[in-house]
Amino acid sequence: MKLSLTTIALGIREFEILVELYLRYKDWEKVNQEVVTKNLFQLTSQSSTTRQFREIRQRIQSLKLETLEVFADFNSDGKKFIAFLAICKTYPFVCEFIVQVLAEKLVIYDYQLKEVDFTAFWNEKIMDYPELDNITESTQKKIKQVLIRTLAEVGLLDSTTSQRITPLLPMTGLDEIFNRE
């Protein structure tokens, strides 16, 4: 199971930059070169830029070209959903969390995400993915922190502090993308 989710949360600004450059060049090496030489992510170290580039590139590569080609046509919320879809495709763990925790809580009108929800989910996933048992407690905390920040950035939680679940309304045009992906 891939869990490098700790590198960056939603990263919508970086996602937008890479989609635009990839559509221009259709060459990841050229995209990487431009991101690094112009410091487009505005980070203080090249190693951080490289790490974020690799992470966002992997997410973008999980999407179909047709999705990338219409990405710029969406408003900021639509772009966030597409970036989040890429995260879900890259990390099935995140998708499982949405379905098994958030959706289940909504069904019973429980809109508060609690520490125990994440802990129970994590412990359940250890049964499916034994390698999770080898992850240090600090890495587990970082994964949870980035997951919560991602959910807040996309609008599934009202904030990282109160962690209240906010049901999302469907957006025009996104259904076609979800069906395609």
Side-chain angles (χ1 to χ4, degrees), residues 54-106:
R54 276 194 306 250
E55 177 60 32
I56 300 294
R57 179 191 63 200
Q58 185 172 19
R59 294 175 188 182
I60 290 171
Q61 288 175 324
S62 76
L63 299 173
K64 293 189 164 90
L65 182 59
E66 298 89 349
T67 299
L68 300 178
E69 289 170 340
V70 298
F71 178 77
D73 299 339
F74 285 92
N75 65 18
S76 64
D77 286 340
K79 289 176 181 178
K80 286 178 186 178
F81 282 115
I82 293 170
F84 186 65
L85 175 62
I87 289 173
C88 289
K89 289 184 75 174
T90 305
Y91 303 103
F93 179 85
V94 173
C95 190
E96 291 169 9
F97 185 81
I98 300 300
V99 171
Q100 295 173 10
V101 178
L102 297 188
E104 289 297 319
K105 288 180 81 65
L106 288 174

Short mmCIF file of all heavy atoms in Angstrom, two decimals, residues 54-106:
data_model
loop_
_atom_site.label_atom_id
_atom_site.label_comp_id
_atom_site.label_asym_id
_atom_site.label_seq_id
_atom_site.Cartn_x
_atom_site.Cartn_y
_atom_site.Cartn_z
N ARG A 54 7.39 15.01 -7.58
CA ARG A 54 7.15 13.57 -7.77
C ARG A 54 5.78 13.16 -7.28
O ARG A 54 5.07 12.38 -7.93
CB ARG A 54 8.23 12.75 -7.04
CG ARG A 54 9.49 12.57 -7.82
CD ARG A 54 10.35 11.49 -7.21
NE ARG A 54 10.61 11.74 -5.80
CZ ARG A 54 11.79 12.09 -5.29
NH1 ARG A 54 12.83 12.20 -6.07
NH2 ARG A 54 11.93 12.29 -4.00
N GLU A 55 5.38 13.69 -6.13
CA GLU A 55 4.08 13.34 -5.55
C GLU A 55 2.93 13.81 -6.43
O GLU A 55 2.03 13.05 -6.77
CB GLU A 55 3.96 13.94 -4.14
CG GLU A 55 2.63 13.70 -3.49
CD GLU A 55 2.31 12.23 -3.31
OE1 GLU A 55 3.23 11.41 -3.10
OE2 GLU A 55 1.11 11.88 -3.38
N ILE A 56 2.96 15.08 -6.83
CA ILE A 56 1.87 15.63 -7.65
C ILE A 56 1.87 14.98 -9.03
O ILE A 56 0.81 14.68 -9.58
CB ILE A 56 1.98 17.17 -7.75
CG1 ILE A 56 1.89 17.82 -6.36
CG2 ILE A 56 0.91 17.73 -8.68
CD1 ILE A 56 0.56 17.66 -5.65
N ARG A 57 3.06 14.74 -9.60
CA ARG A 57 3.13 14.07 -10.91
C ARG A 57 2.45 12.70 -10.84
O ARG A 57 1.68 12.33 -11.72
CB ARG A 57 4.59 13.91 -11.35
CG ARG A 57 4.71 13.19 -12.71
CD ARG A 57 6.12 12.79 -13.03
NE ARG A 57 6.57 11.83 -12.03
CZ ARG A 57 7.85 11.55 -11.78
NH1 ARG A 57 8.81 12.16 -12.45
NH2 ARG A 57 8.17 10.67 -10.87
N GLN A 58 2.73 11.96 -9.79
CA GLN A 58 2.12 10.63 -9.66
C GLN A 58 0.60 10.73 -9.60
O GLN A 58 -0.11 9.93 -10.21
CB GLN A 58 2.66 9.94 -8.40
CG GLN A 58 2.17 8.53 -8.27
CD GLN A 58 2.87 7.81 -7.14
OE1 GLN A 58 3.45 8.41 -6.25
NE2 GLN A 58 2.80 6.50 -7.17
N ARG A 59 0.09 11.71 -8.88
CA ARG A 59 -1.36 11.91 -8.81
C ARG A 59 -1.92 12.24 -10.18
O ARG A 59 -2.94 11.69 -10.60
CB ARG A 59 -1.69 13.03 -7.82
CG ARG A 59 -1.33 12.70 -6.39
CD ARG A 59 -1.58 13.89 -5.50
NE ARG A 59 -1.08 13.68 -4.15
CZ ARG A 59 -1.20 14.55 -3.17
NH1 ARG A 59 -1.82 15.71 -3.38
NH2 ARG A 59 -0.71 14.30 -1.97
N ILE A 60 -1.27 13.16 -10.88
CA ILE A 60 -1.75 13.57 -12.21
C ILE A 60 -1.71 12.38 -13.17
O ILE A 60 -2.63 12.19 -13.98
CB ILE A 60 -0.92 14.75 -12.75
CG1 ILE A 60 -1.24 16.01 -11.92
CG2 ILE A 60 -1.17 14.98 -14.23
CD1 ILE A 60 -0.34 17.19 -12.20
N GLN A 61 -0.68 11.56 -13.08
CA GLN A 61 -0.56 10.40 -13.96
C GLN A 61 -1.66 9.37 -13.72
O GLN A 61 -1.91 8.53 -14.58
CB GLN A 61 0.82 9.75 -13.80
CG GLN A 61 1.93 10.59 -14.40
CD GLN A 61 3.31 10.01 -14.14
OE1 GLN A 61 3.58 9.45 -13.07
NE2 GLN A 61 4.20 10.18 -15.10
N SER A 62 -2.34 9.46 -12.59
CA SER A 62 -3.44 8.53 -12.33
C SER A 62 -4.70 8.91 -13.10
O SER A 62 -5.62 8.11 -13.22
CB SER A 62 -3.75 8.47 -10.83
OG SER A 62 -4.46 9.63 -10.42
N LEU A 63 -4.73 10.13 -13.63
CA LEU A 63 -5.91 10.63 -14.35
C LEU A 63 -5.75 10.43 -15.85
O LEU A 63 -4.64 10.40 -16.38
CB LEU A 63 -6.14 12.11 -14.05
CG LEU A 63 -6.40 12.46 -12.59
CD1 LEU A 63 -6.43 13.98 -12.42
CD2 LEU A 63 -7.70 11.84 -12.11
N LYS A 64 -6.86 10.35 -16.54
CA LYS A 64 -6.85 10.22 -17.99
C LYS A 64 -6.55 11.59 -18.63
O LYS A 64 -6.89 12.64 -18.07
CB LYS A 64 -8.20 9.69 -18.47
CG LYS A 64 -8.44 8.26 -18.01
CD LYS A 64 -9.67 7.67 -18.65
CE LYS A 64 -9.68 6.19 -18.50
NZ LYS A 64 -10.29 5.65 -17.36
N LEU A 65 -5.95 11.55 -19.80
CA LEU A 65 -5.59 12.78 -20.52
C LEU A 65 -6.82 13.66 -20.76
O LEU A 65 -6.75 14.88 -20.64
CB LEU A 65 -4.90 12.43 -21.84
CG LEU A 65 -4.42 13.62 -22.68
CD1 LEU A 65 -3.43 14.49 -21.91
CD2 LEU A 65 -3.80 13.12 -23.98
N GLU A 66 -7.96 13.03 -21.06
CA GLU A 66 -9.19 13.80 -21.31
C GLU A 66 -9.57 14.64 -20.08
O GLU A 66 -10.08 15.75 -20.22
CB GLU A 66 -10.36 12.89 -21.67
CG GLU A 66 -10.17 12.08 -22.94
CD GLU A 66 -9.50 10.72 -22.69
OE1 GLU A 66 -8.99 10.47 -21.60
OE2 GLU A 66 -9.47 9.92 -23.64
N THR A 67 -9.33 14.10 -18.90
CA THR A 67 -9.63 14.84 -17.68
C THR A 67 -8.70 16.03 -17.54
O THR A 67 -9.14 17.13 -17.19
CB THR A 67 -9.53 13.90 -16.45
OG1 THR A 67 -10.48 12.85 -16.62
CG2 THR A 67 -9.80 14.64 -15.16
N LEU A 68 -7.43 15.81 -17.82
CA LEU A 68 -6.47 16.91 -17.72
C LEU A 68 -6.79 18.01 -18.73
O LEU A 68 -6.63 19.20 -18.43
CB LEU A 68 -5.05 16.39 -17.96
CG LEU A 68 -4.55 15.32 -16.99
CD1 LEU A 68 -3.15 14.86 -17.37
CD2 LEU A 68 -4.60 15.81 -15.55
N GLU A 69 -7.25 17.61 -19.90
CA GLU A 69 -7.54 18.59 -20.95
C GLU A 69 -8.72 19.50 -20.60
O GLU A 69 -8.79 20.62 -21.09
CB GLU A 69 -7.78 17.88 -22.28
CG GLU A 69 -6.49 17.29 -22.84
CD GLU A 69 -6.71 16.37 -24.04
OE1 GLU A 69 -7.84 15.86 -24.23
OE2 GLU A 69 -5.73 16.16 -24.77
N VAL A 70 -9.64 19.04 -19.75
CA VAL A 70 -10.78 19.89 -19.37
C VAL A 70 -10.61 20.50 -17.98
O VAL A 70 -11.45 21.27 -17.53
CB VAL A 70 -12.13 19.12 -19.44
CG1 VAL A 70 -12.40 18.66 -20.87
CG2 VAL A 70 -12.17 17.96 -18.47
N PHE A 71 -9.51 20.18 -17.31
CA PHE A 71 -9.27 20.65 -15.95
C PHE A 71 -9.40 22.17 -15.84
O PHE A 71 -10.06 22.69 -14.93
CB PHE A 71 -7.86 20.20 -15.51
CG PHE A 71 -7.47 20.66 -14.15
CD1 PHE A 71 -7.98 20.05 -13.01
CD2 PHE A 71 -6.57 21.70 -13.98
CE1 PHE A 71 -7.61 20.47 -11.74
CE2 PHE A 71 -6.19 22.13 -12.72
CZ PHE A 71 -6.71 21.50 -11.60
N ALA A 72 -8.81 22.91 -16.77
CA ALA A 72 -8.82 24.38 -16.71
C ALA A 72 -10.21 24.96 -16.88
O ALA A 72 -10.46 26.11 -16.50
CB ALA A 72 -7.88 24.95 -17.78
N ASP A 73 -11.16 24.19 -17.41
CA ASP A 73 -12.52 24.68 -17.62
C ASP A 73 -13.34 24.77 -16.34
O ASP A 73 -14.39 25.40 -16.31
CB ASP A 73 -13.26 23.78 -18.62
CG ASP A 73 -12.60 23.74 -19.98
OD1 ASP A 73 -11.83 24.68 -20.30
OD2 ASP A 73 -12.84 22.78 -20.72
N PHE A 74 -12.86 24.15 -15.27
CA PHE A 74 -13.62 24.10 -14.02
C PHE A 74 -13.28 25.29 -13.11
O PHE A 74 -12.18 25.84 -13.18
CB PHE A 74 -13.36 22.79 -13.28
CG PHE A 74 -14.07 21.63 -13.90
CD1 PHE A 74 -13.44 20.85 -14.86
CD2 PHE A 74 -15.37 21.32 -13.55
CE1 PHE A 74 -14.10 19.79 -15.44
CE2 PHE A 74 -16.05 20.27 -14.14
CZ PHE A 74 -15.41 19.50 -15.09
N ASN A 75 -14.23 25.61 -12.23
CA ASN A 75 -13.96 26.63 -11.22
C ASN A 75 -13.05 26.02 -10.15
O ASN A 75 -12.69 24.85 -10.22
CB ASN A 75 -15.27 27.18 -10.63
CG ASN A 75 -16.05 26.12 -9.86
OD1 ASN A 75 -15.53 25.08 -9.45
ND2 ASN A 75 -17.33 26.39 -9.64
N SER A 76 -12.70 26.81 -9.14
CA SER A 76 -11.74 26.34 -8.15
C SER A 76 -12.25 25.10 -7.39
O SER A 76 -11.47 24.19 -7.11
CB SER A 76 -11.36 27.45 -7.17
OG SER A 76 -12.49 27.86 -6.43
N ASP A 77 -13.56 25.05 -7.09
CA ASP A 77 -14.09 23.87 -6.40
C ASP A 77 -13.99 22.62 -7.29
O ASP A 77 -13.63 21.55 -6.81
CB ASP A 77 -15.55 24.10 -5.99
CG ASP A 77 -15.68 25.03 -4.79
OD1 ASP A 77 -14.68 25.21 -4.05
OD2 ASP A 77 -16.77 25.58 -4.60
N GLY A 78 -14.30 22.77 -8.56
CA GLY A 78 -14.21 21.65 -9.49
C GLY A 78 -12.77 21.16 -9.62
O GLY A 78 -12.52 19.95 -9.64
N LYS A 79 -11.83 22.09 -9.66
CA LYS A 79 -10.41 21.71 -9.74
C LYS A 79 -9.98 20.97 -8.48
O LYS A 79 -9.22 20.00 -8.54
CB LYS A 79 -9.54 22.95 -9.95
CG LYS A 79 -9.70 23.54 -11.34
CD LYS A 79 -8.88 24.81 -11.48
CE LYS A 79 -9.07 25.39 -12.87
NZ LYS A 79 -8.32 26.65 -13.03
N LYS A 80 -10.47 21.42 -7.34
CA LYS A 80 -10.15 20.74 -6.08
C LYS A 80 -10.66 19.31 -6.10
O LYS A 80 -9.98 18.38 -5.66
CB LYS A 80 -10.74 21.49 -4.89
CG LYS A 80 -10.03 22.76 -4.55
CD LYS A 80 -10.72 23.45 -3.38
CE LYS A 80 -10.12 24.81 -3.11
NZ LYS A 80 -10.83 25.49 -2.01
N PHE A 81 -11.88 19.11 -6.62
CA PHE A 81 -12.44 17.76 -6.68
C PHE A 81 -11.64 16.86 -7.61
O PHE A 81 -11.43 15.69 -7.31
CB PHE A 81 -13.90 17.79 -7.11
CG PHE A 81 -14.83 18.20 -6.01
CD1 PHE A 81 -15.54 19.38 -6.09
CD2 PHE A 81 -14.99 17.41 -4.87
CE1 PHE A 81 -16.39 19.77 -5.07
CE2 PHE A 81 -15.83 17.79 -3.84
CZ PHE A 81 -16.54 18.97 -3.94
N ILE A 82 -11.19 17.41 -8.72
CA ILE A 82 -10.38 16.61 -9.64
C ILE A 82 -9.04 16.24 -8.99
O ILE A 82 -8.59 15.10 -9.08
CB ILE A 82 -10.18 17.34 -10.99
CG1 ILE A 82 -11.53 17.45 -11.71
CG2 ILE A 82 -9.15 16.62 -11.86
CD1 ILE A 82 -11.53 18.35 -12.92
N ALA A 83 -8.42 17.20 -8.30
CA ALA A 83 -7.17 16.91 -7.58
C ALA A 83 -7.42 15.86 -6.50
O ALA A 83 -6.59 14.97 -6.29
CB ALA A 83 -6.60 18.19 -6.98
N PHE A 84 -8.57 15.95 -5.84
CA PHE A 84 -8.90 14.98 -4.80
C PHE A 84 -9.18 13.61 -5.41
O PHE A 84 -8.78 12.58 -4.84
CB PHE A 84 -10.10 15.46 -3.99
CG PHE A 84 -10.41 14.58 -2.82
CD1 PHE A 84 -9.52 14.45 -1.77
CD2 PHE A 84 -11.60 13.87 -2.78
CE1 PHE A 84 -9.80 13.62 -0.69
CE2 PHE A 84 -11.89 13.04 -1.71
CZ PHE A 84 -10.98 12.92 -0.65
N LEU A 85 -9.80 13.57 -6.56
CA LEU A 85 -10.03 12.31 -7.26
C LEU A 85 -8.68 11.65 -7.56
O LEU A 85 -8.53 10.44 -7.40
CB LEU A 85 -10.82 12.55 -8.55
CG LEU A 85 -11.03 11.34 -9.45
CD1 LEU A 85 -11.85 10.26 -8.75
CD2 LEU A 85 -11.73 11.77 -10.75
N ALA A 86 -7.71 12.45 -7.97
CA ALA A 86 -6.37 11.92 -8.25
C ALA A 86 -5.75 11.34 -6.98
O ALA A 86 -5.09 10.29 -7.02
CB ALA A 86 -5.48 13.01 -8.83
N ILE A 87 -5.98 11.99 -5.84
CA ILE A 87 -5.47 11.45 -4.57
C ILE A 87 -6.14 10.12 -4.27
O ILE A 87 -5.48 9.15 -3.89
CB ILE A 87 -5.72 12.45 -3.41
CG1 ILE A 87 -4.78 13.66 -3.56
CG2 ILE A 87 -5.53 11.79 -2.06
CD1 ILE A 87 -5.05 14.78 -2.57
N CYS A 88 -7.45 10.06 -4.46
CA CYS A 88 -8.18 8.81 -4.19
C CYS A 88 -7.71 7.68 -5.10
O CYS A 88 -7.63 6.52 -4.67
CB CYS A 88 -9.68 9.03 -4.34
SG CYS A 88 -10.39 10.04 -3.02
N LYS A 89 -7.40 8.00 -6.35
CA LYS A 89 -6.92 6.97 -7.27
C LYS A 89 -5.49 6.54 -6.92
O LYS A 89 -5.13 5.38 -7.10
CB LYS A 89 -6.98 7.47 -8.71
CG LYS A 89 -8.40 7.59 -9.23
CD LYS A 89 -8.44 7.99 -10.68
CE LYS A 89 -8.06 6.81 -11.53
NZ LYS A 89 -8.20 7.07 -12.96
N THR A 90 -4.70 7.47 -6.40
CA THR A 90 -3.32 7.16 -6.04
C THR A 90 -3.25 6.42 -4.71
O THR A 90 -2.41 5.55 -4.51
CB THR A 90 -2.49 8.46 -5.97
OG1 THR A 90 -2.60 9.15 -7.22
CG2 THR A 90 -1.02 8.17 -5.70
N TYR A 91 -4.14 6.79 -3.79
CA TYR A 91 -4.16 6.21 -2.45
C TYR A 91 -5.53 5.61 -2.16
O TYR A 91 -6.40 6.29 -1.61
CB TYR A 91 -3.87 7.28 -1.40
CG TYR A 91 -2.56 7.98 -1.60
CD1 TYR A 91 -2.52 9.26 -2.14
CD2 TYR A 91 -1.37 7.37 -1.26
CE1 TYR A 91 -1.32 9.90 -2.33
CE2 TYR A 91 -0.16 8.00 -1.46
CZ TYR A 91 -0.14 9.27 -2.00
OH TYR A 91 1.05 9.90 -2.20
N PRO A 92 -5.76 4.36 -2.50
CA PRO A 92 -7.05 3.73 -2.20
C PRO A 92 -7.43 3.85 -0.72
O PRO A 92 -8.60 3.88 -0.38
CB PRO A 92 -6.83 2.26 -2.61
CG PRO A 92 -5.73 2.31 -3.61
CD PRO A 92 -4.85 3.45 -3.21
N PHE A 93 -6.43 3.95 0.14
CA PHE A 93 -6.64 4.13 1.57
C PHE A 93 -7.53 5.34 1.84
O PHE A 93 -8.42 5.30 2.68
CB PHE A 93 -5.25 4.31 2.21
CG PHE A 93 -5.26 4.52 3.69
CD1 PHE A 93 -5.29 3.44 4.56
CD2 PHE A 93 -5.19 5.79 4.23
CE1 PHE A 93 -5.25 3.62 5.93
CE2 PHE A 93 -5.17 5.98 5.60
CZ PHE A 93 -5.20 4.89 6.46
N VAL A 94 -7.30 6.44 1.13
CA VAL A 94 -8.08 7.67 1.30
C VAL A 94 -9.52 7.43 0.85
O VAL A 94 -10.47 7.80 1.55
CB VAL A 94 -7.46 8.85 0.52
CG1 VAL A 94 -8.36 10.08 0.56
CG2 VAL A 94 -6.08 9.18 1.06
N CYS A 95 -9.68 6.80 -0.28
CA CYS A 95 -11.02 6.49 -0.78
C CYS A 95 -11.78 5.59 0.20
O CYS A 95 -12.96 5.82 0.48
CB CYS A 95 -10.91 5.83 -2.15
SG CYS A 95 -12.48 5.65 -3.00
N GLU A 96 -11.09 4.61 0.74
CA GLU A 96 -11.71 3.72 1.71
C GLU A 96 -12.13 4.50 2.97
O GLU A 96 -13.18 4.22 3.55
CB GLU A 96 -10.76 2.58 2.08
CG GLU A 96 -10.53 1.61 0.94
CD GLU A 96 -9.39 0.62 1.19
OE1 GLU A 96 -8.86 0.56 2.32
OE2 GLU A 96 -9.02 -0.09 0.23
N PHE A 97 -11.32 5.46 3.36
CA PHE A 97 -11.66 6.28 4.53
C PHE A 97 -12.94 7.07 4.27
O PHE A 97 -13.82 7.15 5.13
CB PHE A 97 -10.50 7.22 4.89
CG PHE A 97 -10.73 8.00 6.14
CD1 PHE A 97 -10.49 7.43 7.38
CD2 PHE A 97 -11.18 9.31 6.09
CE1 PHE A 97 -10.71 8.15 8.56
CE2 PHE A 97 -11.41 10.03 7.25
CZ PHE A 97 -11.16 9.45 8.49
N ILE A 98 -13.05 7.62 3.08
CA ILE A 98 -14.24 8.40 2.71
C ILE A 98 -15.49 7.50 2.78
O ILE A 98 -16.50 7.88 3.38
CB ILE A 98 -14.12 8.98 1.28
CG1 ILE A 98 -12.92 9.89 1.15
CG2 ILE A 98 -15.39 9.69 0.85
CD1 ILE A 98 -12.92 11.07 2.05
N VAL A 99 -15.40 6.34 2.18
CA VAL A 99 -16.55 5.44 2.11
C VAL A 99 -16.87 4.81 3.46
O VAL A 99 -18.02 4.79 3.89
CB VAL A 99 -16.30 4.34 1.04
CG1 VAL A 99 -17.37 3.27 1.09
CG2 VAL A 99 -16.22 4.97 -0.35
N GLN A 100 -15.84 4.32 4.13
CA GLN A 100 -16.06 3.55 5.35
C GLN A 100 -16.23 4.39 6.61
O GLN A 100 -16.79 3.91 7.59
CB GLN A 100 -14.93 2.55 5.56
CG GLN A 100 -14.89 1.50 4.47
CD GLN A 100 -13.66 0.62 4.56
OE1 GLN A 100 -12.91 0.64 5.53
NE2 GLN A 100 -13.44 -0.17 3.52
N VAL A 101 -15.74 5.62 6.59
CA VAL A 101 -15.86 6.45 7.79
C VAL A 101 -16.80 7.63 7.53
O VAL A 101 -17.86 7.73 8.15
CB VAL A 101 -14.48 6.94 8.29
CG1 VAL A 101 -14.64 7.86 9.50
CG2 VAL A 101 -13.59 5.75 8.63
N LEU A 102 -16.43 8.52 6.62
CA LEU A 102 -17.25 9.73 6.42
C LEU A 102 -18.66 9.40 5.93
O LEU A 102 -19.64 9.90 6.49
CB LEU A 102 -16.57 10.69 5.45
CG LEU A 102 -15.22 11.28 5.88
CD1 LEU A 102 -14.79 12.35 4.89
CD2 LEU A 102 -15.26 11.82 7.28
N ALA A 103 -18.77 8.58 4.91
CA ALA A 103 -20.10 8.26 4.38
C ALA A 103 -20.96 7.54 5.42
O ALA A 103 -22.15 7.85 5.55
CB ALA A 103 -19.97 7.41 3.11
N GLU A 104 -20.35 6.64 6.15
CA GLU A 104 -21.10 5.92 7.20
C GLU A 104 -21.57 6.87 8.29
O GLU A 104 -22.68 6.73 8.81
CB GLU A 104 -20.25 4.79 7.80
CG GLU A 104 -20.03 3.62 6.86
CD GLU A 104 -21.33 2.91 6.49
OE1 GLU A 104 -22.18 2.71 7.36
OE2 GLU A 104 -21.46 2.54 5.31
N LYS A 105 -20.76 7.84 8.65
CA LYS A 105 -21.16 8.81 9.67
C LYS A 105 -22.32 9.67 9.16
O LYS A 105 -23.23 9.99 9.92
CB LYS A 105 -19.96 9.66 10.09
CG LYS A 105 -18.95 8.87 10.92
CD LYS A 105 -17.77 9.70 11.34
CE LYS A 105 -18.01 10.55 12.53
NZ LYS A 105 -18.28 9.92 13.80
N LEU A 106 -22.27 10.04 7.89
CA LEU A 106 -23.35 10.85 7.33
C LEU A 106 -24.68 10.10 7.35
O LEU A 106 -25.73 10.69 7.59
CB LEU A 106 -23.01 11.29 5.91
CG LEU A 106 -21.93 12.36 5.78
CD1 LEU A 106 -21.58 12.60 4.32
CD2 LEU A 106 -22.35 13.65 6.46
#
